[in-house]
Amino acid sequence: DDTTALTTTITDEAGNESPASDPINVNVVTGTVDPVDPVQTVDTPVSVSVADDSGKNLDGRDTNDTTPTLTIALPENAAENDVVNVYSGNEVVGTKVLTPADITAGSVTITTTPLDDGEHKLTTSITDAVSNVESEKTPVLTVTVDTVAPSSPEDLSATDDNGVVITGNTADTTPTITVTLPEDAEVGDT
């Protein structure tokens, strides 16, 4: 792609040339341009999922994986050299230029750049390689990165079936264990 400034002049029969007109900028695009619809666009990705390193779905969940992977199903009109972007808010955190193999497969996977701790609202879009027009963004997938481990449990005790605290040996094969949780323990911690 190349932007060119175009001007024009007029030369009379005597060979006198006028000053140049004010320039206009024309963006020359490479590739095939549809003469009926010269501003080519690409549809929004069909579907998107996000998973951690083990393949666990992360939409609406917490993870300690700072580089989640998105699987993006491509629309039928996606083409070679179109660009798929992954956003966290308005920041691009992953990108992929489509290859013929991607088009044949019908989907791509993109691993994000490292994400900071906190909530991330992930979306994707595809930008047409010829017109440089971006599709609408996909619906938001929310992932919360949490790399801070909770504090250690504070007090641990064991009692036998009779409620007696076990301080050494016991014949009870199913003692009851009591744990005092630290203040930073949250619902869902295990």
Side-chain angles (χ1 to χ4, degrees), residues 47-129:
S47 65
V48 181
S49 62
V50 60
D52 64 12
D53 291 336
S54 67
K56 179 175 123 184
N57 180 354
L58 293 179
D59 186 23
R61 296 192 172 154
D62 292 359
T63 182
N64 63 358
D65 182 355
T66 61
T67 56
T69 299
L70 287 85
T71 301
I72 300 136
L74 302 174
E76 287 184 15
N77 65 343
E80 181 179 355
N81 295 322
D82 286 352
V83 178
V84 180
N85 284 315
V86 176
Y87 295 89
S88 174
N90 291 321
E91 177 185 356
V92 175
V93 294
T95 192
K96 171 92 169 82
V97 176
L98 297 179
T99 65
D102 298 327
I103 302 303
T104 300
S107 67
V108 293
T109 57
I110 299 175
T111 299
T112 69
T113 57
L115 302 175
D116 294 332
D117 273 29
E119 184 177 84
H120 296 271
K121 295 190 177 294
L122 303 177
T123 58
T124 65
S125 70
I126 301 176
T127 301
D128 184 84

Side-chain angles (χ1 to χ4, degrees), residues 123-140:
T123 58
T124 65
S125 70
I126 301 176
T127 301
D128 184 84
V130 175
S131 67
N132 206 31
V133 173
E134 184 176 22
S135 74
E136 293 292 321
K137 291 182 180 176
T138 56
V140 170

